[in-house]
Amino acid sequence: MKKLAIITGASSGIGQQIALDLAKQDYKCLLLGRNITKLKNTETKCYQSESYMLDLTSEKQILTTTTEIVKVYLHSDFEHIVLINNAGIVERNSFVNTSIDSWKHQFQTNLFGPVLFTQKLLELLKSRTSSKIINISSTLGVKPITDTSAYSATKAAMNNWTQSLALELAKFNIQVNAICPGIIETPLQDFYQTQDKTLRQNLNSLQPLGRIGQSSDISAAVQFLADPNTSWLTGTIIPVDGGILLG
């Protein structure tokens, strides 16, 4: 079976790890992101992958990119297609100090951009007997913490959208699920570059399973949902968080 994966935010962190792992499972990966240099670096590590410039804050760029992808792959011989909406940003601040522009920027990148991107790829996804959409959300969309009101709201909305879309697309046998990562060691996190061993130990000790997460933990969940044999699972919001939501 020929398999195609479309991955946003594939230049680093979780998105890059997803691409690397799916490429090992014989997926052709379409890598999308804002930094074409970093995307090309990922591309060199992924067999038969391609890079596309994509800024989710630009409606014009979304339309141009999706039109190109549909044109190239609508009548291709790929039998299994997986769309992974991974790209996102976080701008931490107290509610009183979070500007409306920050709210708009986070909603555009984390929700409205992925919504439009997905909408414009539906023709391609519907053209196969079974396609999948996997949204990378956050545990903060389930249980927010302080100074993340805008970001948490975007991810709560993504979770709800995931389930609404799952209902709507079930008749096309398109499975739609979301993964909610907990604290993952990626460049998106403030502590990523720290050499403070005490800080790392404290972060690890807060997790019921004793450690913060790695990109590979999220990629493993993506691989499970993307697998053609995972065929009766839709509308789920799956925490991959080392058990932090239990505490």
Side-chain angles (χ1 to χ4, degrees):
M1 175 183 288
K2 292 193 66 176
K3 300 175 289 187
L4 181 71
I6 305 168
I7 308 163
T8 67
S11 61
S12 64
I14 292 171
Q16 183 182 61
Q17 189 65 56
I18 291 169
L20 294 174
D21 291 340
L22 289 182
K24 292 175 184 176
Q25 296 186 358
D26 297 324
Y27 281 82
K28 176 170 185 175
C29 295
L30 305 188
L31 314 171
L32 299 108
R34 292 176 297 179
N35 190 318
I36 196 66
T37 301
K38 289 184 176 180
L39 284 175
K40 288 294 184 181
N41 179 52
T42 304
E43 186 179 325
T44 62
K45 302 172 184 177
C46 293
Y47 174 67
Q48 63 171 5
S49 62
E50 296 176 3
S51 297
Y52 291 80
M53 184 77 145
L54 180 69
D55 183 345
L56 289 171
T57 66
S58 170
E59 182 175 332
K60 180 179 179 181
Q61 202 167 102
I62 292 172
L63 295 176
T64 298
T65 303
T66 52
T67 297
E68 183 177 353
I69 290 173
V70 171
K71 181 179 179 180
V72 172
Y73 292 99
L74 182 61
H75 301 296
S76 68
D77 58 353
F78 287 93
E79 302 169 70
H80 183 64
I81 301 178
V82 182
L83 167 60
I84 301 154
N85 288 309
N86 166 72
I89 60 167
V90 57
E91 296 175 359
R92 291 196 63 168
N93 211 337
S94 65
F95 171 71
V96 70
N97 291 318
T98 303
S99 68
I100 290 300
D101 283 343
S102 180
W103 276 83
K104 289 178 179 178
H105 188 217
Q106 291 181 80
F107 261 93
Q108 178 60 45
T109 305
N110 297 349
L111 183 68
F112 301 148
V115 165
L116 181 61
F117 187 69
T118 300
Q119 189 180 63
K120 296 305 176 182
L121 288 177
L122 278 182
E123 180 184 8
L124 174 61
L125 297 172
K126 289 179 180 178
S127 68
R128 270 51 182 182
T129 55
S130 67
S131 296
K132 295 171 183 271
I133 299 170
I134 302 170
N135 295 323
I136 306 301
S137 184
S138 171
T139 52
L140 296 184
V142 179
K143 185 179 180 180
I145 59 175
T146 58
D147 298 338
T148 65
S149 57
Y151 177 77
S152 296
T154 68
K155 294 303 186 177
M158 172 172 268
N159 291 345
N160 193 282
W161 169 54
T162 296
Q163 294 183 320
S164 299
L165 196 60
L167 284 172
E168 190 166 332
L169 298 183
K171 61 186 176 184
F172 302 105
N173 201 31
I174 296 175
Q175 296 169 257
V176 189
N177 295 288
I179 294 169
C180 291
I183 299 177
I184 306 297
E185 189 167 7
T186 75
L188 194 64
Q189 300 286 358
D190 294 339
F191 63 82
Y192 180 67
Q193 298 292 349
T194 186
Q195 300 302 313
D196 187 336
K197 293 183 179 180
T198 301
L199 173 59
R200 287 184 175 276
Q201 288 171 356
N202 289 341
L203 286 168
N204 286 334
S205 67
L206 289 172
Q207 318 305 311
L209 287 181
R211 66 172 177 85
I212 56 176
Q214 300 297 316
S215 295
S216 56
D217 294 311
I218 307 306
S219 178
V222 169
Q223 291 171 68
F224 167 71
L225 291 175
D227 192 318
N229 292 318
T230 305
S231 59
W232 208 56
L233 184 65
T234 197
T236 60
I237 310 298
I238 304 174
V240 181
D241 65 349
I244 195 68
L245 281 178
L246 301 173

